[in-house]
């Protein structure tokens, strides 16, 4: 073989991984498993105009304008190791089905960010710290620190009433996936309205009770982050410890 003979790479499509980099994917195929996850879930009334400004035009706002924040720490996962996550959603309708349109997400590890963006289209960004802890008052506090020293959200719930897992309603999340065109064209290479159902099952304590609690709650958000939907009135606050499996989703609409 002469030195100037053409040579081609050996990484053929049948040897590609399921994501990038193709020769050594940053995460494996799902489903992904979460164990020992604790979460605060706050549902609240928000400003209608603020919600409409970030809601895709194919989705109809549920009235009165209602949003939610989930602030969680995953102590074990097969997707991004242990990591903190916070996301906000807006209650909306699409073809007769209610969804929570997830307009903003922050996580604390790169793998959790990459998988969420690539598979479903969650617009994830990195946060410095997302933490849950119990205070001496008995309240569970969740804090989101976008950059060191810059707290952009603080949620609390005082666990008061123990609830049965059956009160948890399945709410699929909707997300707008936008992949830019490599040429820089205004039209994206891919745009999809997608959905996924992330279903958490509360742990059971030694006494057989589900580790799900409701009680008085509060939520404060600052304007200098994506999780900044105005909080007009807290409607519901819950704290739970749970196990969950994260499946693939489905395409609602391709643009």
């Amino acid at each position: 073989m002469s030195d100037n003979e053409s040579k081609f790479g050996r990484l053929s499509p049948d040897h590609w991984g399921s994501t990038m980099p193709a020769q050594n994917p940053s995460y494996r195929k799902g489903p992904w498993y979460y164990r020992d996850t604790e979460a605060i879930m706050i549902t609240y009334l928000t400003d209608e105009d603020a919600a409409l400004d970030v809601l895709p035009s194919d989705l109809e706002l549920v009235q009165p304008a209602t949003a939610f924040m989930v602030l969680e720490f995953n102590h074990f996962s097969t997707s991004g190791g242990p990591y903190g996550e916070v996301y906000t959603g807006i209650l909306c309708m699409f073809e007769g089905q209610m969804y929570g349109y997830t307009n903003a997400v922050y996580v604390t590890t790169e793998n959790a960010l990459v998988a969420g963006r690539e598979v479903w289209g969650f617009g994830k960004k990195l946060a410095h710290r997302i933490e849950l802890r119990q205070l001496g008052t008995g309240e569970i506090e969740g804090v989101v620190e976008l950059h060191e020293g810059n707290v952009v959200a603080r949620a609390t719930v005082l666990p008061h009433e123990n609830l049965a897992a059956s009160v948890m309603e399945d709410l699929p999340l909707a997300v707008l996936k936008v992949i830019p065109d490599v040429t820089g064209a205004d039209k994206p290479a891919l745009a999809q309205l997608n959905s996924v159902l992330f279903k958490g099952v509360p742990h059971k304590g030694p006494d057989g009770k589900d580790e799900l609690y409701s009680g008085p709650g509060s939520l404060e958000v600052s304007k200098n982050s994506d999780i900044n939907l105005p909080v007009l009135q807290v409607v519901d606050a819950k704290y739970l410890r749970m196990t969950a499996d994260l499946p693939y989703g489905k395409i609602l609409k391709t643009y």
Side-chain angles (χ1 to χ4, degrees):
M1 179 181 296
S2 63
D3 290 341
N4 60 358
E5 184 174 344
S6 297
K7 297 178 182 179
F8 294 89
R10 301 188 183 97
L11 189 62
S12 56
D14 57 325
H15 289 93
W16 290 356
S18 57
T19 185
M20 298 174 287
Q23 78 281 3
N24 185 25
S26 58
Y27 56 91
R28 305 299 172 184
K29 289 180 69 66
W32 296 269
Y33 303 103
Y34 294 77
R35 300 296 182 266
D36 195 20
T37 292
E38 56 178 329
I40 291 174
M41 299 185 298
I42 306 285
T43 303
Y44 59 100
L45 300 181
T46 191
D47 179 77
E48 183 175 295
D49 287 329
L52 289 172
D53 282 345
V54 296
L55 191 68
S57 56
D58 287 289
L59 302 178
E60 179 185 359
L61 182 69
V62 169
Q63 297 184 37
T66 304
F68 59 86
M69 179 181 286
V70 177
L71 204 161
E72 64 188 27
F73 196 89
N74 303 294
H75 292 278
F76 171 89
S77 80
T78 60
S79 61
Y83 69 93
E85 181 168 24
V86 61
Y87 57 93
T88 50
I90 301 166
L91 294 188
C92 59
M93 302 294 294
F94 180 78
E95 296 184 348
Q97 167 71 51
M98 182 179 290
Y99 292 88
Y101 173 68
T102 310
N103 67 298
V105 189
Y106 289 100
V107 293
T108 57
T109 66
E110 181 183 8
N111 261 22
L113 180 146
V114 173
R117 276 179 167 263
E118 290 186 356
V119 178
W120 303 275
F122 288 102
K124 294 188 174 186
K125 297 180 180 179
L126 282 176
H128 173 69
R129 178 174 67 98
I130 298 173
E131 183 178 68
L132 275 70
R133 61 175 182 157
Q134 187 166 29
L135 306 178
T137 58
E139 292 174 298
I140 307 295
E141 178 189 57
V143 173
V144 180
E145 195 175 5
L146 195 57
H147 308 292
E148 189 170 4
N150 178 23
V151 174
V152 296
R154 179 180 181 271
T156 66
V157 57
L158 180 62
H160 175 67
E161 182 182 0
N162 180 239
L163 304 175
S166 58
V167 307
M168 297 285 289
E169 298 181 5
D170 293 339
L171 179 69
L173 302 179
V175 62
L176 186 60
K177 183 176 186 176
V178 178
I179 305 297
D181 192 289
V182 70
T183 66
D186 291 337
K187 185 178 179 181
L190 174 68
Q192 294 173 331
L193 185 64
N194 297 328
S195 75
V196 63
L197 180 59
F198 181 73
K199 198 171 177 181
V201 179
H203 292 174
K204 284 191 179 295
D207 57 1
K209 292 184 172 66
D210 294 315
E211 294 190 16
L212 172 63
Y213 303 89
S214 68
S218 68
L219 177 61
E220 300 171 3
V221 298
S222 69
K223 294 181 179 179
N224 60 336
S225 78
D226 293 340
I227 50 172
N228 61 359
L229 290 168
V231 182
L232 303 185
Q233 179 185 337
V234 171
V235 175
D236 183 74
K238 291 185 175 68
Y239 169 77
L240 74 158
R241 300 186 72 96
M242 65 179 177
T243 292
D245 296 351
L246 178 59
Y248 287 98
K250 65 179 182 179
I251 301 168
L252 301 178
K253 179 176 180 177
T254 298
Y255 293 89

